[in-house]
Amino acid sequence: MQDNEMKEKQAEQEAAEAKAAEQETAEAADAEKAEDAKNAEEAAEPEVDTKDAKIEELQNRLLRLQADFENFRRRTNIEKEQLSTFVTANVVGKFLKVLDNFERAEASVEKGDNVDAVVDGMKKIRRQFEDAFKDLKVEEIEAQNAKFDPNIHEAVMRGHNPELDDEIVDMVFEKGYKLGDKVIRHSKVRVNTNE
């Protein structure tokens, strides 16, 4: 009986050892599989992630460069237009005084006798100035009998004329000029008031 008990114990012990060995083998196999899967993921991921990240970085850089270039181009065009208008306005401003002087001289010579040649010459010079202004797209601001507009007129005095409405320009002392929408010089005017 003891032999049977011993055999049973031994069989149980062998079965337990076999079960433990089997369990260890299964755990080792599972651990090895998990390690292999992890290594495979790590080997594949960095390559894919690195490439995707690099592509995304290059795409972002390209988009920023395109936007910067577009902004630069737009800013340059605006600056060119502003500079062109500024230069032309300065040049025209210098010629306006000369034109005013010719108009005054023309008016005074017309009052004298036997000065037809001088008057004719001055008229030609005036036409040349006006043609130059036309080429530069400089326009005279119409002021006589127009409603006073502080954006284009400069009121230097008030007048009284019951035949005209209030705020109507009844006399122009100095003509105004504009280049496109930019006023180069305001018209100096007398504004009617019936109060």
Side-chain angles (χ1 to χ4, degrees), residues 17-33:
E17 285 176 5
K19 193 173 184 180
E22 206 176 282
Q23 195 172 12
E24 278 181 25
T25 305
E27 286 175 3
D30 286 345
E32 191 175 318
K33 284 180 187 176

Side-chain angles (χ1 to χ4, degrees), residues 6-19:
M6 272 179 77
K7 283 182 185 177
E8 279 180 27
K9 282 184 181 177
Q10 193 175 8
E12 283 176 13
Q13 190 176 11
E14 284 176 6
E17 285 176 5
K19 193 173 184 180

Side-chain angles (χ1 to χ4, degrees), residues 47-182:
E47 194 174 307
V48 171
D49 286 347
T50 304
K51 285 180 183 178
D52 288 344
K54 190 70 172 171
I55 289 170
E56 188 175 336
E57 178 189 337
L58 291 172
Q59 285 175 333
N60 289 337
R61 187 189 282 168
L62 177 63
L63 289 173
R64 281 193 302 271
L65 284 173
Q66 285 174 333
D68 287 345
F69 178 75
E70 193 63 33
N71 289 338
F72 171 78
R73 195 169 55 104
R74 194 176 312 118
R75 197 171 41 247
T76 302
N77 287 340
I78 290 169
E79 288 172 355
K80 278 184 198 176
E81 290 174 12
Q82 288 174 343
L83 180 62
S84 174
T85 301
F86 177 77
V87 169
T88 304
N90 282 339
V91 170
V92 170
K94 291 176 184 177
F95 283 112
L96 288 177
K97 292 181 181 180
V98 177
L99 181 61
D100 291 340
N101 289 333
F102 276 113
E103 288 176 352
R104 289 182 191 111
E106 187 178 306
S108 67
V109 170
E110 286 179 348
K111 293 176 186 173
D113 288 2
N114 204 9
V115 287
D116 291 338
V118 174
V119 171
D120 205 33
M122 291 183 75
K123 285 181 180 178
K124 288 178 183 175
I125 292 170
R126 181 175 176 205
R127 252 184 265 121
Q128 287 176 334
F129 271 109
E130 289 170 349
D131 289 344
F133 286 156
K134 208 177 279 184
D135 290 343
L136 293 169
K137 296 182 175 90
V138 175
E139 300 173 22
E140 180 182 327
I141 296 171
E142 294 297 325
Q144 187 67 42
N145 297 324
K147 183 157 177 65
F148 176 73
D149 180 356
N151 295 318
I152 57 174
H153 302 131
E154 180 183 340
V156 293
M157 53 188 312
R158 291 254 178 212
H160 180 70
N161 184 348
E163 295 175 13
L164 294 174
D165 292 337
D166 281 349
E167 300 298 312
I168 296 295
V169 173
D170 69 345
M171 186 179 286
V172 178
F173 297 109
E174 196 171 79
K175 294 178 182 178
Y177 293 87
K178 63 183 180 175
L179 176 65
D181 291 335
K182 181 176 175 36

